[in-house]
Amino acid sequence: MGRDTIADIITSIRNADMDRKVTVRIASTNITENIVKILLREGFIENVRKHQESNKYFLVLTLRHRRNRKGTYRTILNLKRISRPGLRIYSNYQRIPRILGGMGIVILSTSRGIMTDREARLERIGGEILCYIWGVLPGMKEQKWIHEGLITESLPNGMFRVRLDNENMILGYVSGKIRRSFIRILPGDRVKIEVSRYDSSKGRIIYRIRNKDSNN
């Protein structure tokens, strides 16, 4: 099986970001150049330049960072490979996933080239889902969304399975305020759950909706 170039560059960028490196060098190919252009345009990297060494071309990426009162720190950049050489994943434009409510992006390979999920929906074309990208960009503040949903199952260690009104299933845990108020959460209860944009697979249950609240 051939080498997975996309997985290689995703791993290189992720490792450099975790190690708080300022730059990372990746091989320059048509597909990597197109992906890097999207990363630059969407604000996930600071800059990119092409570098030649021994008749080979490389892309040198400058990772984004931000400052706080304690000094400089790197952004947390998350990249996830989806379609692989041994298992291709395709989607039409209507079924392309939305990453963290639209805060992340999906990169697709389509008949019209490499593009983001937003561009694919506008063009009304599907394609191969190459990867998901999301992260904390400079200037972004911690932001969470409040959803309503139904408790479908009680799990060990104070966890619950929650079906949101948009039909997504996530894991929920009870907030400290609900615990202190001795409010019982049971299957069949409707609740409000706070979900971080950085991890949409679980959330914090902050309110149990009473029957009269849900009827209004």
Side-chain angles (χ1 to χ4, degrees):
M1 183 178 293
R3 190 165 183 171
D4 189 347
T5 305
I6 298 176
D8 288 346
I9 68 170
I10 285 176
T11 301
S12 297
I13 296 172
R14 184 194 299 120
N15 291 344
D17 189 67
M18 291 177 63
D19 292 340
R20 301 192 174 189
K21 293 182 179 179
V22 176
T23 61
V24 59
R25 191 178 76 166
I26 62 175
S28 176
T29 65
N30 287 337
I31 192 166
T32 57
E33 287 187 14
N34 287 324
I35 291 176
V36 167
K37 285 178 182 178
I38 292 176
L39 291 177
L40 182 63
R41 187 177 70 236
E42 296 290 330
F44 288 105
I45 59 176
E46 186 75 32
N47 191 25
V48 60
R49 61 184 174 86
K50 203 166 187 177
H51 173 70
Q52 184 178 5
E53 184 177 304
S54 301
N55 296 324
K56 292 184 179 180
Y57 288 94
F58 298 90
L59 298 176
V60 180
L61 282 57
T62 302
L63 303 182
R64 299 205 70 157
H65 63 280
R66 56 181 181 172
R67 292 182 178 272
N68 61 10
R69 294 179 181 177
K70 296 181 181 179
T72 303
Y73 59 100
R74 206 73 55 223
T75 61
I76 302 174
L77 182 60
N78 299 281
L79 306 96
K80 183 178 181 181
R81 181 74 158 115
I82 303 301
S83 186
R84 299 177 181 276
L87 182 62
R88 301 290 184 181
I89 306 296
Y90 297 90
S91 174
N92 62 35
Y93 76 93
Q94 295 173 320
R95 294 180 177 270
I96 299 174
R98 294 182 184 272
I99 307 303
L100 302 180
M103 298 305 298
I105 63 172
V106 179
I107 296 182
L108 301 97
S109 176
T110 74
S111 59
R112 300 180 189 175
I114 306 295
M115 63 178 65
T116 66
D117 54 318
R118 292 190 293 273
E119 294 169 327
R121 291 190 191 95
L122 288 174
E123 297 285 343
R124 292 177 173 268
I125 56 174
E128 182 183 356
I129 300 179
L130 301 180
C131 57
Y132 297 160
I133 301 175
W134 70 99
V136 186
L137 299 181
M140 280 188 176
K141 296 181 179 179
E142 179 70 16
Q143 182 179 350
K144 297 182 178 180
W145 289 279
I146 307 297
H147 296 274
E148 292 188 7
L150 179 72
I151 302 291
T152 62
E153 184 181 357
S154 179
L155 302 173
N157 301 320
M159 300 291 289
F160 298 89
R161 202 175 303 280
V162 185
R163 186 176 68 244
L164 303 181
D165 289 348
N166 61 10
E167 299 301 326
N168 288 342
M169 296 293 294
I170 67 171
L171 293 178
Y173 60 92
V174 176
S175 68
K177 184 176 181 180
I178 289 182
R179 289 182 183 275
R180 290 192 298 270
S181 301
F182 300 102
I183 298 174
R184 293 188 65 190
I185 303 294
L186 299 171
D189 288 342
R190 284 190 58 79
V191 296
K192 290 185 179 181
I193 185 166
E194 187 180 64
V195 181
S196 170
R197 69 181 179 195
Y198 307 124
D199 186 359
S200 57
S201 65
K202 60 180 179 291
R204 186 166 63 112
I205 298 171
I206 59 175
Y207 186 74
R208 185 186 68 186
I209 301 175
R210 296 170 294 181
N211 289 334
K212 64 178 183 179
D213 291 339
S214 58
N215 290 335
N216 287 340

